[in-house]
Amino acid sequence: MVTSSELSFLRVLYFYNEEECTIFINQLQENGFSIKESKMDEESLLNEAVTKIQRSQILETFFRHSFAQVLHIDQSSIESLTAGSSLKVREALKCELSRTEFADSLGLKPHSMFVESMFSLADEDGNGYLSFREFLNILLILMKGSPEEKSKLMFTMYDIDGNGFLSKEEFFTMLK
């Protein structure tokens, strides 16, 4: 069985028989998960799959172009945009970062309070992933923003209840 989310992430699960697959899907649906199922042969699956190495190359391009845009680096001097590389760049800029990939890009742990808060703030559409534009918006503030913009960002990150004030606990969490 192969499932695919709307974000073009492919999830592949192997079952020993059809009954095992049906039981698993039923359990997911009972727990509120929505599943789109499609069946494909192994050759088609392998053609669609993205390996860890390929994903790391996509993310490398994503980050290179993010930082190049923020820092106004001329990408043409770094790489010549052949038809193939141009396609790779477009593919990379369409990819979306998971919380773990976002944390890795900052050299932090995925479940740290800073990453949780920053990711939630950056994820403007609330889909659980960061698009190129969402990542770029946060990157711009962190790297080029004024002290006021950075302060506002940090305040918003730690104003957990969103009341416009930092409670004693929220302030302590921010300092920690």
Side-chain angles (χ1 to χ4, degrees):
M1 174 188 76
V2 177
T3 63
S4 173
S5 75
E6 292 178 13
L7 296 172
S8 301
F9 288 108
L10 200 55
R11 308 288 190 242
V12 179
L13 303 173
Y14 178 79
F15 297 98
Y16 293 105
N17 56 51
E18 192 71 32
E19 180 184 0
E20 189 179 72
C21 176
T22 303
I23 291 169
F24 180 77
I25 289 173
N26 289 339
Q27 287 176 342
L28 286 175
Q29 290 171 333
E30 287 170 9
N31 287 304
F33 288 92
S34 174
I35 296 176
K36 293 178 184 177
E37 181 182 350
S38 64
K39 298 189 187 259
M40 61 175 43
D41 61 40
E42 187 176 353
E43 185 178 336
S44 299
L45 175 64
L46 292 174
N47 287 335
E48 293 289 322
V50 175
T51 66
K52 282 185 176 183
I53 292 170
Q54 289 168 322
R55 180 67 179 173
S56 70
Q57 290 169 342
I58 290 168
L59 292 176
E60 179 184 333
T61 303
F62 180 97
F63 292 124
R64 186 179 326 122
H65 282 270
S66 297
F67 285 100
Q69 192 153 359
V70 169
L71 300 173
H72 305 293
I73 298 170
D74 181 13
Q75 281 293 298
S76 62
S77 65
I78 296 172
E79 62 182 336
S80 63
L81 290 179
T82 63
S85 68
S86 180
L87 180 62
K88 286 180 183 181
V89 169
R90 283 196 304 273
E91 177 186 338
L93 299 184
K94 281 193 239 175
C95 98
E96 294 190 305
L97 297 179
S98 68
R99 184 180 310 271
T100 302
E101 291 167 335
F102 176 70
D104 289 345
S105 73
L106 299 173
L108 300 170
K109 295 179 183 171
H111 297 292
S112 73
M113 180 65 159
F114 179 83
V115 170
E116 295 279 341
S117 298
M118 181 66 78
F119 189 88
S120 295
L121 190 61
D123 184 17
E124 295 169 7
D125 60 10
N127 69 351
Y129 295 90
L130 294 185
S131 67
F132 179 76
R133 181 56 49 203
E134 289 170 329
F135 182 75
L136 194 59
N137 290 343
I138 286 297
L139 197 58
L140 278 167
I141 292 172
L142 292 175
M143 294 182 75
K144 296 247 179 168
S146 68
E148 292 79 19
E149 290 170 319
K150 291 176 185 177
S151 297
K152 183 179 178 185
L153 176 70
M154 295 305 284
F155 181 88
T156 305
M157 279 177 49
Y158 290 101
D159 181 18
I160 301 193
D161 57 14
N163 67 356
F165 298 95
L166 288 183
S167 68
K168 185 177 176 181
E169 292 81 20
E170 291 168 334
F171 187 72
F172 180 72
T173 300
M174 182 178 72
L175 291 176
K176 202 164 70 170

